[in-house]
Amino acid sequence: DRAPAEAGLYRTVTGHEALAFGLLDGARKAALKMVFCSYPITPASALLHHLAKLRGFGVTTFQAEDEIAAACAAIGASYAGSLGVTASSGPGIALKTEAIGLAVATELPLVIVNAQRGGPSTGLPTKTEQADLFQAVMGRNGDTPIVVLAAATPSDCFAMAREAVRIAVHHMTPVMLLTDGFLANSSEPWLIPDLDEVPAFPARFRTGPEGFHPFLRDERLVRPWVKPGTPGLQHRIGGIEKDHDSGNISYDPANHQRMTEARWNKVLKVADSIPEQACELGEPGADLAVVGWGSTYGPIARAVIEARERGQNVAQIHLRHLWPLPRNLGKLLRSFPRILVPEMNKGQLVTLLRSEFLVPAKGLSKVTGRPFTIAELGAAIDAALEAAP
């Protein structure tokens, strides 16, 4: 039968085409110019190509001499009052790590796209994998928290890119958006959205000098964003630890504790501004929850649909906000006697869920450079339901 589809105007879109459009719309919703700084690497290079074609819409693209320069140039753009964006794959993200730490220390908005591929090292540049979750959540020196998101389908890249911009700008934090080789290059019909349906989220710049200091925080622990040259608001930010009140360099032990806690808790508070987690299919309390993230969405959804058609009581949960995790996720997971987590790595999300929520989740690992098949997941669902909870 014909696949059900909502009426409207469609076009074919690849994941990174949708990502380019989402970043552009996010920048417009934030009332900011976008500066995209990148260095070529498979499979992230397509994003640079797509954004370069959008220069007529106010997008500035810059191909740097290396990954480090690209990340630092994007930070410079954000420091100057634009939206800095950079992109790479796992090896390039590793090179950008120190610069990402600088963005955390300076508490500037920065969007980082990680188009994952098979590893380690050069690995499988043209094959898909989702093994950079630990790198995204924890892969920096020091306690260096950032927000981590993941797109589920090629068209979902549009919405998640816009969400990455929103969070980065309004929480003054780096945000890493995870895609992968499969999402970057796959295509699907995309219902062209009404851009006016999503409210604008304009960036807020501090302009008044009264009571100003660079790490004055609001109720979300977010520091002010000040464009250089704003009269009366001269201040120092940088990679060396700063005093919470003055912004001057500080080696005071109590201050470092205070600043570390502030940076960490600021990212955790992002959970207050994201949706609570719901089931994509099925209901809480089913016999089995199949929990996924990223490009495993398609085969998981189809496998769960087929299992439910066989009369099996199975639910699907798909995570797009990976750090911080949705505030109700622990309660939702604990409603299931069995949890299966398929992912194209050696068990990174399942480890994170077990660590955070102490739930008896079981992993299903595949690292062949190819996506899961529906048949593989169907067999795993049958086996999980036969096992004792």
Side-chain angles (χ1 to χ4, degrees):
D1 294 335
R2 294 177 62 182
E6 182 181 348
L9 180 63
Y10 286 78
R11 60 157 288 175
T12 299
V13 69
T14 67
H16 277 196
E17 281 181 310
L19 190 60
F21 296 145
L23 289 169
L24 173 57
D25 190 51
R28 289 192 161 196
K29 290 286 191 295
L32 296 172
K33 294 181 179 179
M34 181 171 66
V35 181
F36 180 78
C37 307
S38 184
Y39 180 78
I41 185 171
T42 302
S45 297
L47 184 57
L48 174 60
H49 302 160
H50 294 312
L51 285 170
K53 297 174 185 177
L54 298 176
R55 59 185 179 274
F57 295 91
V59 177
T60 298
T61 54
F62 168 58
Q63 181 177 318
E65 66 268 28
D66 56 45
E67 298 280 9
I68 300 170
C72 290
I75 293 170
S78 291
Y79 176 63
S82 297
L83 174 65
V85 185
T86 190
S88 191
S89 188
I93 296 295
L95 291 167
K96 295 180 191 291
T97 296
E98 184 180 0
I100 295 170
L102 175 61
V104 171
T106 56
E107 301 187 48
L108 287 167
L110 176 70
V111 176
I112 309 133
V113 177
N114 181 351
Q116 301 165 98
R117 70 189 205 187
S121 186
T122 308
L124 305 173
T126 61
K127 303 301 179 184
T128 197
E129 201 167 273
Q130 48 178 181
D132 294 353
L133 179 58
F134 282 171
Q135 181 188 38
V137 175
M138 297 177 276
R140 291 160 297 280
N141 64 293
D143 284 304
T144 312
I146 66 172
V147 175
V148 181
L149 309 176
T153 68
S155 59
D156 189 49
C157 287
F158 176 85
M160 294 312 297
R162 188 163 54 188
E163 174 74 343
V165 175
R166 182 190 70 84
I167 292 174
V169 168
H170 278 269
H171 292 271
M172 292 294 285
T173 180
V175 176
M176 187 174 292
L177 175 57
L178 299 173
T179 67
D180 58 40
F182 181 79
L183 285 179
N185 299 309
S186 295
S187 62
E188 67 175 342
W190 179 45
L191 177 61
I192 298 176
D194 181 355
L195 300 183
D196 294 330
E197 286 187 353
V198 175
F201 38 83
R204 298 182 292 269
F205 292 96
R206 176 71 182 255
T207 57
E210 185 176 353
F212 170 76
H213 66 77
F215 294 104
L216 180 71
R217 300 181 186 276
D218 63 15
E219 67 281 358
R220 301 164 300 150
L221 302 180
V222 175
R223 85 168 191 90
W225 195 1
V226 180
K227 291 183 181 180
T230 304
L233 298 183
Q234 297 88 340
H235 64 284
R236 299 170 67 181
I237 57 174
I240 297 180
E241 186 64 284
K242 301 297 188 292
D243 181 78
H244 182 279
D245 297 321
S246 69
N248 295 329
I249 291 173
S250 173
Y251 276 75
D252 178 72
N255 179 75
H256 182 55
Q257 179 85 34
R258 184 183 185 188
M259 290 291 282
T260 300
E261 298 286 354
R263 289 186 291 260
W264 186 260
N265 290 329
K266 180 185 75 169
V267 168
L268 293 182
K269 280 182 174 289
V270 172
D272 295 335
S273 71
I274 64 176
E276 290 194 345
Q277 186 65 45
C279 294
E280 302 276 341
L281 296 165
E283 302 294 334
D287 294 335
L288 171 68
V290 184
V291 182
W293 67 281
S295 65
T296 58
Y297 177 87
I300 290 176
R302 191 66 231 173
V304 170
I305 289 171
E306 293 185 358
R308 292 175 62 82
E309 290 173 346
R310 295 193 297 269
Q312 295 171 319
N313 188 13
V314 183
Q316 179 193 10
I317 296 172
H318 208 78
L319 301 178
R320 290 171 172 82
H321 296 85
L322 292 165
W323 194 261
L325 293 162
R327 53 193 178 278
N328 70 321
L329 182 59
K331 180 180 179 181
L332 178 61
L333 292 177
R334 283 189 284 270
S335 74
F336 298 97
R338 302 174 184 85
I339 301 169
L340 178 66
V341 186
E343 47 187 331
M344 293 184 290
N345 58 52
K346 287 298 293 175
Q348 296 185 18
L349 178 62
V350 70
T351 300
L352 188 62
L353 295 179
R354 290 173 67 97
S355 171
E356 287 294 307
F357 303 121
L358 302 178
V359 291
K362 303 291 179 62
L364 177 63
S365 174
K366 182 174 182 178
V367 282
T368 63
R370 296 180 177 181
F372 280 102
T373 66
I374 299 166
E376 288 171 336
L377 293 170
I381 288 172
D382 290 341
L385 287 170
E386 292 171 1

